[in-house]
Amino acid sequence: MTSLEHPIDQSDVEHEDGPYRNVPLKRFLAWCLDVFLISLATAAIVAFTLLTALLFLPAVYACISFLYRWATLTSSSATPGMILVGIEIRGLDGSMLDGTTALLHTAGYFASVLTFPLQLISIGMMLLSARRQGLTDVVLRTVAVNRRKPGPA
């Protein structure tokens, strides 16, 4: 496949084996880091509200998680966890996510997390597909790739 057919397949990513090398493992590690950061933010909100937020803890956690993922995907096409492990979400044309696509990607993530069979399908797709795309990625025509090396200015 040439770069014109699939612009994301570029040779200048940090791994010589291509943009998808180890992406499923990196996505899992990024998810773990993001859950930790979201949990810290939730704990801070609980403390700030003098424990009143404990009455609504699942809703508080879900709201923080949704806003965290949407805001970070909108601003940099990656959550902080993704940045730390060296991946980002891009459109198949190589474009960064815009606010609407980031919102839809976050909503798709939440739908798959809340619907166990969808989550299993998505994980299976990430492990078995050539581009390592999950269900939400396929629907939105996005892909998680290794971040490009910073080049000379």
Side-chain angles (χ1 to χ4, degrees), residues 20-83:
Y20 310 114
R21 181 168 184 205
N22 297 323
V23 165
L25 174 62
K26 288 181 177 184
R27 283 182 99 154
F28 175 71
L29 294 174
W31 178 82
C32 291
L33 290 167
D34 289 329
V35 166
F36 177 73
L37 293 172
I38 292 163
S39 297
L40 285 178
T42 302
I45 296 284
V46 168
F48 183 73
T49 63
L50 302 176
L51 306 181
T52 306
L54 284 175
L55 297 171
F56 311 101
L57 188 59
V60 170
Y61 183 89
C63 289
I64 291 171
S65 179
F66 194 94
L67 292 173
Y68 168 94
R69 292 175 194 286
W70 179 27
T72 58
L73 287 175
T74 298
S75 67
S76 60
S77 279
T79 64
M82 290 176 184
I83 291 168

Side-chain angles (χ1 to χ4, degrees), residues 106-120 122 135-136:
T106 303
Y109 163 78
F110 269 78
S112 69
V113 166
L114 294 172
T115 312
F116 187 67
L118 291 181
Q119 187 172 24
L120 285 179
S122 190
L135 185 58
T136 300

Side-chain angles (χ1 to χ4, degrees), residues 115-149:
T115 312
F116 187 67
L118 291 181
Q119 187 172 24
L120 285 179
I121 290 167
S122 190
I123 291 169
M125 291 173 70
M126 285 180 211
L127 294 173
L128 300 173
S129 67
R131 293 182 185 152
R132 306 297 189 225
Q133 292 171 288
L135 185 58
T136 300
D137 294 316
V138 171
V139 170
L140 295 176
R141 300 186 45 77
T142 59
V143 64
V145 294
N146 289 305
R147 292 176 71 89
R148 297 172 188 256
K149 285 183 182 176

